[in-house]
Amino acid sequence: MASDSAGSVQPCVLEHVTKKFKVRSRDRRERRTEFVAVDDVSFTIEPGAAVALVGASGSGKSTIATMITGAQRPTSGSINYGEIAVHSLRSGGLRRYHQDVQMVFQDPYGALNPLHTVAYTLQRPCRNLLGLSAHEADKRVQELLEQVGLAPATQFAPKLPHQLSGGQRQRVVIARALASNPGLIVADEPVSMLDVSLRAGVLRLLAELRESRGLSLLYITHDLLSARVVTDQILVLNKGRVVESGVTKDVLQNPTDEYTVQLLNAIPHPFAAAS
Ligand code: ADP
Ligand code: MG
């Protein structure tokens, strides 16, 4: 079925991307200083690849995510999705680009309008980005709900966000991201606000959808172990710089960067007490 495969899956190439923010200086003589949140970052997400971007809080992960989706522009450097120069897109181009690249945010509570039903939330991208008729959009909503494990769809479509659990809401957010048949999904800490018991299910769903649709995934997390479940490649970010990259399994087994070792050591070991 056409609606089951990704739309335009293109390489996403970041070259020397830097983002500086102006911040108020504590020193009164110097009123404003620059803070480098992302520092000369280059990497490529190949079509169909699942890449993890890991790093401690404040290391620049979300800033990279928002630059890839075009919500913020780099201070310097370039981001290209296939032929599209994302770093210089304006409103019309950005709208078309959002058919190809979609984002799943950390907070499934804040991401959904509390006044809109699940059906309405999912119909909108089908109509606005894909130009489907009301009837076609309805059909697509049913398919999307079933694909994210919210079945029977007729039970979930009329619900409002507060009538859903956190895990169900995040599935709706994922369905909304899939609605336009994107080629790349950027998921920024998509399970960190969910109950521990629900995390594995949502991660498995992301991994399965990526595989079955052949889309690319940038999975952002501070949790190195979850990166292993979802991704083949990993980039480790420290203070805005990529300090290590490679095959996820290898990097986690044999980290060469001191900071990656620290991140791995910070993970509580489930059997530590028993040994
Ligand atoms: P992460 O997602 O890895 O936790 P962020 O990308 O959100 O990190 O932030 C990286 C750094 O940039 C942080 O120190 C943050 O405070 C700073 N930062 C992010 N956005 C802004 C902004 N709009 N203005 C000033 N500083 C910002
Ligand atoms: Mg973040």
Side-chain angles (χ1 to χ4, degrees):
M1 207 177 0
S3 60
D4 267 350
S5 59
S8 178
V9 190
Q10 302 288 334
C12 181
V13 183
L14 283 78
E15 283 176 307
H16 303 294
V17 171
T18 293
K19 180 71 183 178
K20 295 177 182 169
F21 291 113
K22 292 212 163 46
V23 286
R24 277 217 188 95
S25 173
R26 287 198 192 132
D27 184 344
R28 276 210 228 121
R29 281 164 300 176
E30 219 185 314
R31 284 178 57 211
R32 292 195 130 195
T33 54
E34 279 186 334
F35 172 76
V36 184
V38 175
D39 191 359
D40 194 23
V41 165
S42 300
F43 64 86
T44 297
I45 307 166
E46 297 291 352
V51 179
L53 183 61
V54 303
S57 175
S59 56
K61 304 183 297 295
S62 296
T63 305
I64 291 178
T66 51
M67 288 191 289
I68 290 177
T69 58
Q72 293 200 86
R73 284 185 180 195
T75 310
S76 60
S78 65
I79 302 177
N80 287 280
Y81 184 77
E83 306 274 293
I84 302 170
V86 181
H87 52 272
S88 56
L89 282 178
R90 293 181 188 280
S91 57
L94 210 49
R95 217 174 99 104
R96 275 192 302 280
Y97 176 61
H98 284 158
Q99 210 173 311
D100 294 331
V101 175
Q102 280 283 321
M103 182 130 178
V104 173
F105 298 94
Q106 178 176 12
D107 176 11
Y109 295 85
L112 297 173
N113 186 323
L115 303 176
H116 291 165
T117 62
V118 169
Y120 182 83
T121 297
L122 298 180
Q123 274 161 0
R124 275 213 308 198
C126 296
R127 300 207 62 181
N128 296 345
L129 294 174
L130 292 180
L132 299 185
S133 69
H135 176 69
E136 288 165 336
D138 266 348
K139 235 180 98 203
R140 178 128 179 85
V141 168
Q142 309 264 323
E143 285 170 13
L144 286 166
L145 284 172
E146 275 158 26
Q147 282 169 15
V148 298
L150 296 176
T154 45
Q155 187 191 318
F156 290 96
K159 293 215 158 133
L160 289 165
H162 78 266
Q163 297 169 312
L164 302 172
S165 70
Q168 289 169 339
R169 285 182 206 215
Q170 198 59 313
R171 284 169 192 266
V172 173
V173 174
I174 292 169
R176 180 175 62 187
L178 290 172
S180 65
N181 275 330
L184 168 65
I185 287 191
V186 178
D188 190 358
E189 310 222 26
V191 298
S192 59
M193 286 185 71
L194 300 183
D195 273 5
V196 175
S197 60
L198 299 171
R199 290 181 186 174
V202 172
L203 283 183
R204 227 178 295 121
L205 172 69
L206 271 177
E208 281 165 13
L209 289 168
R210 200 252 328 163
E211 203 153 327
S212 64
R213 291 171 161 254
L215 50 77
S216 327
L217 175 69
L218 181 65
Y219 171 64
I220 296 177
T221 183
H222 57 263
D223 172 7
L224 285 161
L225 296 185
S226 74
R228 212 181 150 145
V229 181
V230 193
T231 66
D232 326 305
Q233 291 161 53
I234 194 166
L235 298 149
V236 182
L237 206 63
N238 183 15
K239 296 187 183 138
R241 297 190 76 101
V242 175
V243 291
E244 184 153 25
S245 62
V247 174
T248 307
K249 179 160 74 30
D250 298 345
V251 169
L252 296 189
Q253 262 165 19
N254 293 307
T256 53
D257 185 83
E258 177 64 21
Y259 177 70
T260 315
V261 174
Q262 278 176 28
L263 280 181
L264 277 167
N265 287 340
I267 299 169
H269 196 294
F271 306 114
S275 59

